[in-house]
Amino acid sequence: MVLILLFRMRLQIIIPVINEADNLRRLLPYLLDELNGRGGITVADGCSQDDTEEVVRRAGRVHYLACSQPGRSRQMNEAAARYNHADDVYYFVHADTRPPRGFYTDIRRSVADGVPMGCYRFRFDSESPLLAINAFFTRFGGLACRGGDQSLFVARSAWEELGGYNGDMDIMEDYEIIQRAWKQEIPFRVIPRDITVSARKYEANSWVKVQLANLRVFRMYKRGAAQAQMVAEYERRLKRR
């Protein structure tokens, strides 16, 4: 069974975006080279105003999912619905990250080991010692050490058991699906390698401001705050870049 899985697994990479054309120009060729025909890539657009669609079309061998249900959880669910083979593994990647070389093999091994869900640790594309501290804690198992930048993978069997992302969520959707997986005792692994994450949010604001915003919204989430309140709080505290 393991040998069959190792041979058949198709990694379906899903990238939820809004106005990420510049990052996609660099990321898509890299992912296509690493994937090497062993799966597919879908860019799920949240109504971008830049030339995201053109960049995707030019990349070739990448499916573009036009905006229909804006919101990252809904974009990812809609993209995942395109793939319905029993051996599919969904891999959710943010446009401003870069998975390590060999990510296909890493995920294949995890699923073959009976661990159908997980993520990477991360490191920032910055030499900041403060960001190095942030990155260090992503090797641990607590919910506060997780996040979408770590690129979640989910085998189809686990995806069906979970019912996908909560489509009513506009923020913290990655935390919520991981919590449900833990409650349902779905095995979860933090692969001991690093995905590279952009430090642009910290550069546009500051380490302190981002940390305080993250802490505030995480606490709101744990208390069951409304989605609109959390989104408003996050946007009030931080500038986008």
Side-chain angles (χ1 to χ4, degrees):
M1 177 63 182
V2 169
L3 291 177
I4 293 174
L5 177 61
L6 288 173
F7 179 75
R8 286 184 178 177
M9 189 191 92
R10 293 185 62 78
L11 193 64
Q12 311 299 358
I13 301 175
I14 295 168
I15 311 172
V17 302
I18 182 165
N19 298 328
E20 292 283 10
D22 289 342
N23 281 317
L24 289 173
R25 286 189 182 93
R26 296 185 292 271
L27 179 64
L28 292 178
Y30 173 82
L31 294 178
L32 286 167
D33 180 65
E34 180 69 23
L35 198 56
N36 194 26
R38 297 171 293 185
I41 301 175
T42 295
V43 173
D45 197 355
C47 300
S48 295
Q49 301 300 309
D50 63 2
D51 56 346
T52 287
E53 182 174 2
E54 181 181 355
V55 169
V56 175
R57 303 292 188 201
R58 287 182 177 179
R61 296 178 292 152
V62 178
H63 180 78
Y64 176 76
L65 186 61
C67 177
S68 60
Q69 298 187 75
R72 194 160 57 193
S73 63
R74 295 176 287 280
Q75 291 166 233
M76 293 188 290
N77 282 345
E78 188 175 357
R82 298 186 60 251
Y83 303 108
N84 55 17
H85 195 278
D87 298 311
D88 285 336
V89 175
Y90 307 123
Y91 185 35
F92 301 96
V93 178
H94 289 183
D96 62 347
T97 66
R98 177 166 292 204
R101 285 288 180 187
F103 65 80
Y104 177 91
T105 300
D106 290 340
I107 295 171
R108 183 182 66 180
R109 286 174 177 165
S110 181
V111 176
D113 287 344
V115 184
M117 188 171 180
C119 64
Y120 281 102
R121 306 178 311 197
F122 71 61
R123 63 181 177 86
F124 287 99
D125 59 352
S126 166
E127 298 300 321
S128 166
L130 292 174
L131 292 181
I133 293 172
N134 284 34
F136 175 80
F137 283 98
T138 63
R139 69 193 62 219
F140 300 117
L143 187 65
C145 301
R146 301 281 69 81
D149 286 338
Q150 292 173 267
S151 65
L152 189 72
F153 68 87
V154 189
R156 179 172 171 79
S157 58
W159 179 260
E160 290 181 336
E161 185 175 348
L162 289 165
Y165 285 98
N166 182 338
D168 293 329
M169 299 189 75
D170 296 306
I171 192 171
M172 306 296 284
E173 71 284 341
D174 298 294
Y175 295 88
E176 192 273 342
I177 196 173
I178 290 172
Q179 277 190 298
R180 279 191 283 127
W182 290 347
K183 288 179 181 177
Q184 293 174 222
E185 298 184 343
I186 294 173
F188 187 96
R189 173 178 291 173
V190 180
I191 296 174
R193 299 181 66 214
D194 297 335
I195 184 170
T196 302
V197 175
S198 171
R200 60 181 177 174
K201 181 165 54 177
Y202 292 86
E203 293 166 352
N205 296 275
S206 72
W207 184 86
V208 171
K209 286 183 178 180
V210 176
Q211 291 297 102
L212 290 175
N214 288 343
L215 179 60
R216 171 62 175 160
V217 173
F218 185 78
R219 286 179 172 174
M220 291 173 70
Y221 168 71
K222 295 291 283 185
R223 292 199 304 267
Q227 287 285 297
Q229 289 179 316
M230 289 188 285
V231 170
E233 180 70 10
Y234 202 73
E235 292 182 346
R236 181 182 72 81
R237 288 174 174 267
L238 297 180
K239 296 184 295 184
R240 292 189 178 186
R241 179 176 173 183

